[in-house]
Amino acid sequence: MATSSSFLSTPLLKASSSFPTHFLSPLKHCVSAPSTEFRALTLYRNRNGVSTSSAAVATETQVSTPDDKLKETRKEKSDKLEKVVLPTNESSESLLRIRHTCAHVMAMAVQKLFPDAKVTIGPWIENGFYYDFDMEPLTDKELKRIKKEMDRIIGRNLPLIREEVSRDEAQRRITALNEPYKLEILDSIKEDPITIYHIGNEWWDLCAGPHVEYTGKINRKAVELESIAGAYWRGDEKKPMLQRIYGTAWESEDQLKAYLHFKEEAKRRDHRRLGQVLDLFSIQNDAGGGLVFWHPKGAIVRHVIEDLWKKIHIERGYDLLYTPHVGKADLWQISGHLDFYKENMYDQMNIEDELYQLRPMNCPYHILIYKRRAHSYHDFPIRVAELGTVYRYELSGSLHGLFRVRGFTQDDAHIFCLEDQIKDEIRGVLDLTEELLLQFGFSKYEVNLSTRPEKSVGDDDIWAKATSALRDALDDKGWSYQIDDGGGAFYGPKIDLKIEDALGRKWQCSTIQVDFNLPQRFDITYVDSNSEKKRPIMIHRAVLGSLERFFGVLIEHYAGDFPLWLSPVQAHVLPVTDTQLDYCKEVTNKLKANGIRGELCHGERLPKLIRNSEMLKIPLMAVVGAKEVETGTVTVRSRFGGDLGTMAIDDFVSTIKSAIESRASI
């Protein structure tokens, strides 16, 4: 049910991303496998004089020249959807009102069809609305019935009427309706009088608004019920499981169509599906939920990411660390994690009468390395970095592919510095962040600077200096940013950065946090120029966030079509017949000897081999027939650049190496 503003602002529980304000076309260089297959065959046959049966020629013509009218119609439809600008709740108050009213209309429809259903909360959310009901599980068929009833209510053009009542009167009405969740919500509303919104004189709800004036203001063709999910009341697994119905609502039918088009494209890019299709990773039920298995192809991408990460960090003055995955429970007591983070930690292990803990963070370990010896002010800044695996307790219902897991590897780093070094160190982190993210094709960011919350540690002076240093570093960098007043951690101000992917979605990625808390808890010090002990500043920072989540974002950003330098397999060597196998092995070995990830594929007819390569999104195909063996060449097709012709093997190798070095496509 909709209630006071604190309930209305409840976000959609979806950790993945933000929806873009406009829909942009996905990568347009992608071509269908059958069409590409026959173009590659045609190229090979034309250049090598291979005869083709009349049936094969007919097939080529049929596949490579689809019905122009149908193609043009689809293109026009796609272009039209790309031009539709999708408003947000923030940019359009009318859209927010529509979505909020849709939640009420849906609740009214549900209770008309299912009189025993109890209502709870129903806010607007990023792309629509939802409502939670205490009722029997729903089916997709019943979802259609609910939508039809909503359409009838909308069509009746009923007024939305605001009423103010006393708390006692609200309680009397709720009790009369036998709505226990409403009573609990009423108790949580602190303001008087209590506001109620009626739909005509048939249904009402506790609500602070806003709403449209009449249900007829909602475009029935711009509303769709999307899915049903389970949700615990108040998010507490010990409380009843409710039925949550998600819906989307827009101002026009065109907006809805553009949104649904976006959803289809997002579904096509879903990293969980592509992870299986491309054999990149899996999560094995026999091992447990939220635990990631990196398959060979996914592992090689991770290897490339890690190597680049380490190279850039070493160049920028970081020392690399490796630290244990477990530690004494006392360590986490000192750090404060057992007091403030225990619900996210796994149970302790008793080893020889001492309690040990799987680590949820890397920070205490880096501090212990700092404390191994005394430090002078001459030593600063000290920068340490680790690709450290941590473990967080997550309920099974919250797990989501690579985006929400129980074990993951953070690209963690900590900087120990002096107060007057904060600005330069933050600027250095911003430069490193940009350098690394640009390598993966991310150039658009949303940046937030979060300042001191009401409850915090540290004195006013150091908070002011640290916040000013973060602001000055951002200004020096020239990045635009928003101020999140009071949104900092209790231990210091922070900068959060979201990256924008190919669909315009924003993903939380990098974070930079100044910490006044852990240096005090662990009593770390240095000796200043006056031979006095002082406490250093500690900066936490992660650029990619976690390797698992970042890999998931990469998969969806590229739709599994990784650029050449990052692709797990960079080239397939394809023989026309098995008589060319020995030569193909030589080509494949030469690719590997030059650091190129090549694979020899055989055992099928050439059309099938080409089709398989396309399905696996292999950047390059080197086709080898009798003429290539005779001339020491390969016939090359690029997934992104089309037909590249016939090349000598050494030229093929040097072309690939040059493209990898420059991060270019061929």
Side-chain angles (χ1 to χ4, degrees), residues 573-613:
V573 181
L574 310 177
V576 175
T577 68
D578 283 353
T579 58
Q580 290 91 41
L581 270 180
D582 287 343
Y583 179 78
C584 286
K585 289 176 182 177
E586 291 178 21
V587 173
T588 305
N589 289 337
K590 187 153 192 175
L591 292 175
K592 291 181 177 179
N594 282 274
I596 297 165
R597 297 186 289 278
E599 279 188 0
L600 168 59
C601 299
H602 62 97
E604 303 278 359
R605 295 182 64 211
L606 183 59
K608 182 69 177 294
L609 294 176
I610 293 172
R611 183 164 61 250
N612 290 345
S613 296

Side-chain angles (χ1 to χ4, degrees), residues 292-326:
V292 180
F293 286 72
W294 294 76
H295 296 191
K297 287 183 173 63
I300 198 67
V301 177
R302 174 170 173 161
H303 170 71
V304 173
I305 294 171
E306 289 184 352
D307 274 4
L308 176 63
W309 186 91
K310 291 174 183 177
K311 176 178 179 291
I312 289 176
H313 279 75
I314 291 171
E315 288 173 352
R316 289 185 172 268
Y318 286 80
D319 292 319
L320 301 184
L321 303 178
Y322 294 96
T323 58
H325 291 210
V326 297

Side-chain angles (χ1 to χ4, degrees), residues 619-637:
L620 295 168
M621 287 179 279
V623 180
V624 174
K627 192 168 185 178
E628 281 78 12
V629 175
E630 181 183 340
T631 58
T633 60
V634 291
T635 296
V636 182
R637 175 171 178 82

Side-chain angles (χ1 to χ4, degrees), residues 152-189:
R152 282 192 283 269
I153 295 169
I154 292 168
R156 291 169 62 193
N157 200 28
L158 298 172
L160 276 290
I161 304 165
R162 184 177 185 274
E163 180 187 11
E164 292 184 355
V165 300
S166 68
R167 186 173 295 273
D168 289 342
E169 175 61 15
Q171 186 173 16
R172 185 189 68 76
R173 294 187 190 184
I174 294 170
T175 303
L177 289 175
N178 188 27
E179 291 281 6
Y181 297 98
K182 283 188 180 181
L183 283 176
E184 188 174 333
I185 291 168
L186 178 64
D187 289 341
S188 69
I189 300 174

Side-chain angles (χ1 to χ4, degrees), residues 486-645:
F490 75 92
Y491 51 76
K494 63 176 182 172
I495 294 171
D496 288 319
L497 182 146
K498 295 179 181 179
I499 56 177
E500 185 176 310
D501 72 5
L503 291 186
R505 298 174 298 182
K506 294 184 175 67
W507 303 85
Q508 176 63 50
C509 189
S510 310
T511 187
I512 308 167
Q513 302 177 356
V514 179
D515 189 348
F516 313 130
N517 180 51
L518 287 184
Q520 181 177 344
R521 281 181 169 270
F522 282 91
D523 192 27
I524 62 174
T525 60
Y526 70 93
V527 176
D528 70 4
S529 57
N530 297 319
S531 299
E532 295 179 358
K533 280 191 175 183
K534 294 289 180 65
R535 210 172 299 289
I537 299 295
M538 183 177 182
I539 299 171
H540 306 259
R541 48 115 295 204
V543 177
L544 306 180
S546 80
L547 294 185
E548 287 75 8
R549 189 168 188 272
F550 187 73
F551 186 44
V553 172
L554 275 179
I555 293 171
E556 298 201 3
H557 177 61
Y558 288 112
D561 238 334
F562 296 110
L564 178 66
W565 73 275
L566 194 58
S567 183
V569 179
Q570 293 166 323
H572 269 178
V573 181
L574 310 177
V576 175
T577 68
D578 283 353
T579 58
Q580 290 91 41
L581 270 180
D582 287 343
Y583 179 78
C584 286
K585 289 176 182 177
E586 291 178 21
V587 173
T588 305
N589 289 337
K590 187 153 192 175
L591 292 175
K592 291 181 177 179
N594 282 274
I596 297 165
R597 297 186 289 278
E599 279 188 0
L600 168 59
C601 299
H602 62 97
E604 303 278 359
R605 295 182 64 211
L606 183 59
K608 182 69 177 294
L609 294 176
I610 293 172
R611 183 164 61 250
N612 290 345
S613 296
E614 282 294 329
M615 290 178 64
L616 293 173
K617 305 179 188 295
I618 306 301
L620 295 168
M621 287 179 279
V623 180
V624 174
K627 192 168 185 178
E628 281 78 12
V629 175
E630 181 183 340
T631 58
T633 60
V634 291
T635 296
V636 182
R637 175 171 178 82
S638 164
R639 182 164 172 79
F640 303 127
D643 303 329
L644 303 182

Side-chain angles (χ1 to χ4, degrees), residues 34-46:
S35 177
T36 304
E37 169 195 333
F38 284 105
R39 281 199 298 274
L41 278 171
T42 303
L43 167 73
Y44 176 77
R45 288 163 176 157
N46 289 344

